[in-house]
Amino acid sequence: MATISIGDVARRTGLAVSAIRYYETMGLVRPGRSASGRREFERSDIRRLSFVMIAQRLGFSIAEIRAALATLPDGRTPTKRDWERLSRAFRRALDTRIEGLARLRDLLDGCIGCGCLSLDQCALHNSGDSAASLGSGPRYLLGDDPEP
Amino acid sequence: MATISIGDVARRTGLAVSAIRYYETMGLVRPGRSASGRREFERSDIRRLSFVMIAQRLGFSIAEIRAALATLPDGRTPTKRDWERLSRAFRRALDTRIEGLARLRDLLDGCIGCGCLSLDQCALHNSGDSAASLGSGPRYLLGDDPEP
DNA sequence: CTGCAGCCTCAAGCATGGTTGAGGACAAGC
DNA sequence: GCTTGTCCTCAACCATGCTTGAGGCTGCAG
C-alpha cells in the first residue's frame, strides 16, 4: 500500500500542511518517515484527521481529541466499528454540552424577568455547573476535563 | 453615592483584580479615577461585570460582549429594561448556537451509521455552516461575528 | 544534470484571555 | 509617624491553536 505525502494529505483533508505538522507534535497523528525523513501517511490517517477536524468543529480541544483517539486500537488500522464507538462517545459529550447550554438559556430566561444580574441570589450567576465555559484556554466542558 | 474600590469589586463579583483591570483595557468597564489614580467603580459596574461573566460562560468572546455593552445608554446608569434588552439579545444568540450544535449532533448521528468520516460525501465533514467552531482564536459563532 | 517544487526543522509570531512579578505610591490603623 | 495593606503601571509570561519565515535537503522532470 502506497503511503501519502503531507501535501497530498493536506489537499485531501483541506488542512494546512503546517496544521498537520502541528497535529503530529500534539500526538494526533503518527506518520512514518521515509529514509530521507519525509512523513509517510496512511490512508487511515486521512480519516483520523477528518475526525480531528469534525471534533474541533464540535468544540473539543486537542487534548480531548487526543484522549479520544488514544482509545483506538494500537496495532491495527481502526475499523468502522472503532470509529462508530468514538463518534458515539462524542455524540454523548455533545448532548451534555447542548443540555448545559439549554439549562443556562433557561436560567437566562428567569433572569430576564427578574433583572437580578449581579445579585447574590441570581441563579444564572451562581449556577455552579460551569456548563458553558467554551471560551479559550483549557475548556473544562461539563466536567469532562482533558487530562490534568 | 460612595464609589467602590477594585478590591471590593473583585470580592463582590468573584473576579480576580487582574481580570477586572484587563477588562478595563478591553473596554468592558470604565471606572472613574480618584485624585491619586485609584479606580472608582459604581454599583452598576458590578452588574456590568456580572453580565460579562455570564456572557463569557455562555461562550461569547470579549469582543462580542463589548459590542453588546456598547448598546447600553451612554450618559445614564442602565435600567432594568436596558439589561433585559441585552439579555434577550444574548438569549437569541444562544438559541442559534444551541440549534447549530443540535444540527451538528444530528449530522454526527448520520455519520455514526455510515462510517463515512473522511469521505467527500460526508455531510458532517462538509456541512458548510461552521456552526460549532467554539475553539480558541476568533470564534465566529453561527455567523454572528465580532466586529472585523 | 540542473532546477525547482516540495519537504524538513526550528524559532518566532499572532490572537484570545488572562496571571504574575517588579518597582513604586498612597491610605489608614495602631 | 510608621508599618501594613491596597493600589498603581508596565512588561513578561502561560496555554491553546495554529501560521510564517529562515535556512537547508531531496527528488522528480525536462
Side-chain angles (χ1 to χ4, degrees), chain B residues 37-107:
Chain B
R38 302 199 166 195
R39 287 169 182 83
E40 295 182 325
F41 292 86
E42 317 250 323
R43 283 183 161 283
S44 65
D45 287 325
I46 291 185
R47 173 161 294 199
R48 203 175 165 95
L49 288 170
S50 298
F51 182 81
V52 170
M53 295 173 77
I54 291 171
Q56 293 247 81
R57 289 194 46 202
L58 295 178
F60 295 91
S61 72
I62 286 192
E64 289 166 323
I65 298 170
R66 179 175 47 220
L69 287 174
T71 71
L72 285 177
D74 223 35
R76 59 177 172 77
T77 301
T79 62
K80 181 174 165 182
R81 201 171 283 283
D82 291 322
W83 288 114
E84 275 182 29
R85 185 171 42 71
L86 270 203
S87 298
R88 254 186 262 281
F90 271 61
R91 152 89 213 220
R92 277 193 297 277
L94 193 52
D95 275 346
T96 317
R97 196 161 305 188
I98 290 173
E99 278 160 26
L101 275 179
R103 201 158 55 241
L104 278 182
R105 179 191 57 194
D106 295 343
L107 288 173

Side-chain angles (χ1 to χ4, degrees), chain B residues 130-147:
Chain B
S130 53
S133 68
L134 291 156
S136 96
R139 273 151 290 148
Y140 302 105
L141 295 157
L142 300 160
D144 50 9
D145 321 37
E147 67 260 29

